[in-house]
Amino acid sequence: MSIHLGDTAPDFVQQSTEGEIRFHEWLGDSWGILFSHPADF
């Protein structure tokens, strides 16, 4: 699965140091940037 510029990212739930984050709820109407890094970061 690929995500391209302008696509809507899938919603997900993740634990963080701030508690549980529901991505779409957390982001609201704002823009967001998703990035990944190699496993050996």
Side-chain angles (χ1 to χ4, degrees):
M1 178 178 150
S2 298
I3 299 175
H4 300 276
L5 289 174
D7 288 352
T8 300
D11 196 18
F12 59 88
V13 177
Q14 181 64 47
Q15 290 298 322
S16 77
T17 56
E18 300 293 321
E20 185 177 90
I21 292 175
R22 296 181 180 279
F23 184 63
H24 284 185
E25 182 180 308
W26 175 81
L27 194 58
D29 290 331
S30 300
W31 282 77
I33 297 173
L34 296 174
F35 66 95
S36 64
H37 57 79
D40 62 349
F41 180 78

